[in-house]
Structure formats: structure tokens, C-alpha cells
Amino acid sequence: MTRNDILWREPDPVEPAEIRRLLDDALGPEPAMRMDPDALLQRALRRERRIRIASMSGAVAAVATVTLGLALVTSSPALEDGPATPSRLVPGASVEQEPSSSSPPSTSTPSPSGGHSKHQVRTTPHVSRTYAVSPPPSRDERPRSVQRVPDIDEQPIEQPPMAP
Amino acid sequence: MTDREAEFVEFVRSRGPVLRRTAFLLCGDWHRAEDLVQTALLKLFRAWSRIRATEAVDAYARTTLVRTVMDDSRLLRYRRERVSDSLPETVVPAEDTDATLDARRVLAMLPPRQRAVIVLRYWEDLPIDEVARILGCSDGTVKSQAAKGLATLRKLLTSRPQLLALEALR
């Protein structure tokens, strides 16, 4: 039976001195201290220098990031003057297209009904050829003729006759 | 060497052993206690000029040490085992008595916070409000933790066979 057994067997509250004695027992014989105050000071100085450099680097990086961000924002093409080209627009944004003023009215022979008749066939913009089909001819005018209405900047190309 | 550095070295020389004893009671390992004291002193050096003006270096060092030990005890479960090719140094002499071993074992069984309360309250003789300030909790928490810690100590010390069995399980 050790001294601690005697101390803690009693149900009464323990005295602080007894607990202190228990802690003193727990300490036991103390080994020699290996800590060198001078070496610790050098370590502390190195650590402080490292922290200072890290904080300065962080501040410089933050300033550089803000400057770069501001430069990017101010030189953004969206803020420049002038009409927005389709390449600058956000995908999905609606664009109001004006009718093309560069192409003059067609000089070809108008159809009898005036303007574009319901027989007029327009191909895709890439092809950009307009064909005006004349109204149904009389029986003695066969074969049917197809008149082509060329664009202004397009050389006339001979087209095969369209199927009836 | 500046004044600040000279004062720091002097403080380490004079208060280092005392802090190491406290750290040992909190963690139960002399090597670890010394490492923790060094970590706490490195933190202390950064704030040296500020705390020197308020003449609260001792209290600041104690608070830093206790919080460092508590933080380390939280992290310890992740690095409890380490692979090494060398045998550990024997720092504690072989003449440990039964009382020493028993006291260390029962202290090791206390949860870190209860252990810190017991050490600060009864080893460092700090008042309850100071212990509460160091641990960052209320006075009532300190009282309840102290009562629980004492009850655990009493229970463990009155049942030594079970204590040894518990120690074997750890």
C-alpha cells in the first residue's frame, strides 16, 4: 500500500496540499534540461524573420493581384466606346439586326405580281442566290424558263432549271 | 544582442524549468514537455515587446504553454505512433517509486481539460477565475471540471488492480 492509497481512501474532500503532494510524486526525479536559451533565441529570431517575410510577400501579392484585377477591368472591351460586335456580346443575348443598306434594290426584272412573289425561292445566306420563278406560263411557252436575280456583287452563274 | 533578446534569454534560463515541470504534469512526457515549452516560448518571443510593457510575461507564458499543450493533445491522436529505427532514450531514472508511477498513471487517465484544471488549480495555486481565463471557459466549468477530476483521481487510486488493468488496455 502506497501513500496515495491512504490519501484517497477517505471519503472526505481532499486537501489541496494532498493533491499537490500527489502531483509532486508524479513529477518524480527530473531529468536534465536539454533546452539551450541561446539556440532558442536564434530559432525565435529566424521564425520572426520568416513570418515577417511571409507577411510582406502576402501584402505584395495582394497589391499585385488588386492592381492586375483593376487593369483587367479597366481595359475590358465591354467598356470601350463603339458598337458592340457580335464577338463581344454575351452568348444568348438578343441582337437587333437592321436591314442591310449596302445592297441596292434589285435591278432584275420584277415579277408580274410586283416585288417578291410567292414563287420566289431564297437560299441560305451562304449561297446568297435568289431565284425568281416566273408565273406559270401558257402551254405554248414550254419549257418553263427560270429567271435568276443575281446579287450586286455576284457574277451571274448559270443555274440548272428548277424542278416544277 | 538587444535588450529584448537579453531579457528573453534570461527569462528562458530562470523560468524554463518551472514551465517544463508544468508541461510535464499536463502531458506526462519529459521530451514532449520540453518541446512544448520551446514552442510556447517561441510564441512568447513574438509578443515579447507588448507583454513586457504590461509586466505580465509570466502569466502570458503560462497561458501560452497550457493552450499549446491542449492543442497538441488534440492533435496527438493523429501522430501517436511513429516508426523509428532507434530505441528511445531513457530519461527517467530507474528509481521511480510506486507512488510516482501510480500518480503518473492516474494523471494520464484524466481527460486533458480536467488534468489542466487540477494542475493549474493545485500545482500552480491559481485562483478559479485565472484558471478559467487560461482555459477560456467559465468559472463554473472550472469548478465542475475540478470536482470531476478529483472524483476520478479518488476512484482510480482506491482501486489499484482495476487501475493497472485499465492502464494495460490503453
Side-chain angles (χ1 to χ4, degrees):
Chain A
M1 183 179 290
T2 64
R3 189 179 63 205
N4 290 331
D5 293 331
I6 301 166
L7 284 175
W8 296 94
R9 286 232 164 124
E10 292 142 14
D12 300 333
V14 289
E15 291 293 322
E18 293 170 354
I19 303 171
R20 192 179 171 86
R21 203 179 320 155
L22 172 77
L23 295 173
D24 201 22
D25 282 345
L27 272 179
E30 196 172 339
M33 199 159 167
R34 295 173 303 147
M35 192 166 56
D36 180 15
D38 293 321
L40 189 66
L41 174 68
Q42 295 306 316
R43 221 173 121 195
L45 289 172
R46 268 201 308 274
R47 186 170 181 263
E48 200 178 45
R49 205 177 307 131
R50 203 179 310 132
I51 289 172
R52 197 182 302 133
I53 290 171
S55 61
M56 282 174 62
S57 304
V60 169
V63 170
T65 305
V66 169
T67 309
L68 186 66
L70 281 175
L72 282 176
V73 167
T74 51
S75 67
S76 174
L79 295 179
E80 288 179 359
D81 293 337
T85 58
S87 61
R88 293 180 194 164
L89 296 175
V90 179
S94 61
V95 179
E96 187 179 346
Q97 291 188 343
E98 296 175 356
S100 174
S101 58
S102 60
S103 57
S106 175
T107 55
S108 63
T109 308
S111 61
S113 59
H116 297 298
S117 69
K118 61 181 179 180
H119 300 288
Q120 191 177 5
V121 177
R122 193 169 193 96
T123 57
T124 60
H126 293 291
V127 178
S128 185
R129 291 169 189 160
T130 307
Y131 301 97
V133 181
S134 60
S138 58
R139 288 173 181 256
D140 55 347
E141 284 182 343
R142 287 183 181 180
R144 293 176 183 173
S145 64
V146 176
Q147 291 180 352
R148 178 174 171 274
V149 181
D151 285 341
I152 190 166
D153 53 350
E154 185 185 352
Q155 296 297 326
I157 300 173
E158 190 176 344
Q159 292 296 323
M162 289 191 65
Chain B
M1 190 180 280
T2 62
D3 285 349
R4 180 178 77 139
E5 294 167 10
E7 285 171 2
F8 178 74
V9 169
E10 182 55 34
F11 180 82
V12 172
R13 282 210 177 92
S14 61
R15 298 292 297 167
V18 178
L19 290 171
R20 190 177 69 144
R21 259 174 244 137
T22 304
F24 173 79
L25 289 176
L26 291 170
C27 73
D29 180 1
W30 284 110
H31 280 302
R32 206 176 134 222
E34 200 157 315
D35 289 345
L36 291 168
V37 169
Q38 290 192 42
T39 306
L41 288 172
L42 288 176
K43 291 177 185 172
L44 180 75
F45 183 73
R46 279 201 73 204
W48 187 266
S49 305
R50 181 163 42 90
I51 57 176
R52 192 68 182 150
T54 59
E55 296 183 352
V57 181
D58 236 7
Y60 193 94
R62 196 186 300 116
T63 304
T64 309
L65 176 66
V66 172
R67 290 183 182 175
T68 304
V69 173
M70 299 293 281
D71 290 346
D72 193 69
S73 65
R74 285 192 200 105
L75 298 174
L76 191 64
R77 59 188 156 175
Y78 299 114
R79 52 184 177 90
R80 188 169 284 170
E81 293 180 4
R82 285 181 179 170
V83 178
S84 171
D85 58 349
S86 59
L87 291 172
E89 284 181 60
T90 307
V91 290
V92 180
E95 59 264 21
D96 284 345
T97 60
D98 280 352
T100 300
L101 292 176
D102 282 352
R104 285 183 186 170
R105 280 176 188 153
V106 292
L107 272 181
M109 287 182 193
L110 289 179
R113 188 169 274 246
Q114 285 181 19
R115 188 172 172 157
V117 168
I118 295 286
V119 170
L120 292 174
R121 186 83 180 87
Y122 297 106
W123 178 256
E124 296 275 343
D125 282 331
L126 294 178
I128 287 177
D129 56 343
E130 179 68 10
V131 176
R133 190 192 61 77
I134 290 175
L135 294 176
C137 59
S138 65
D139 292 2
T141 305
V142 171
K143 288 177 192 168
S144 68
Q145 293 285 309
K148 283 178 190 171
L150 290 177
T152 308
L153 285 178
R154 189 179 293 117
K155 199 169 102 183
L156 289 173
L157 285 170
T158 52
S159 56
R160 214 147 64 112
Q162 287 87 346
L163 165 72
L164 294 175
L166 277 174
E167 180 68 19
L169 285 176
R170 282 164 65 92

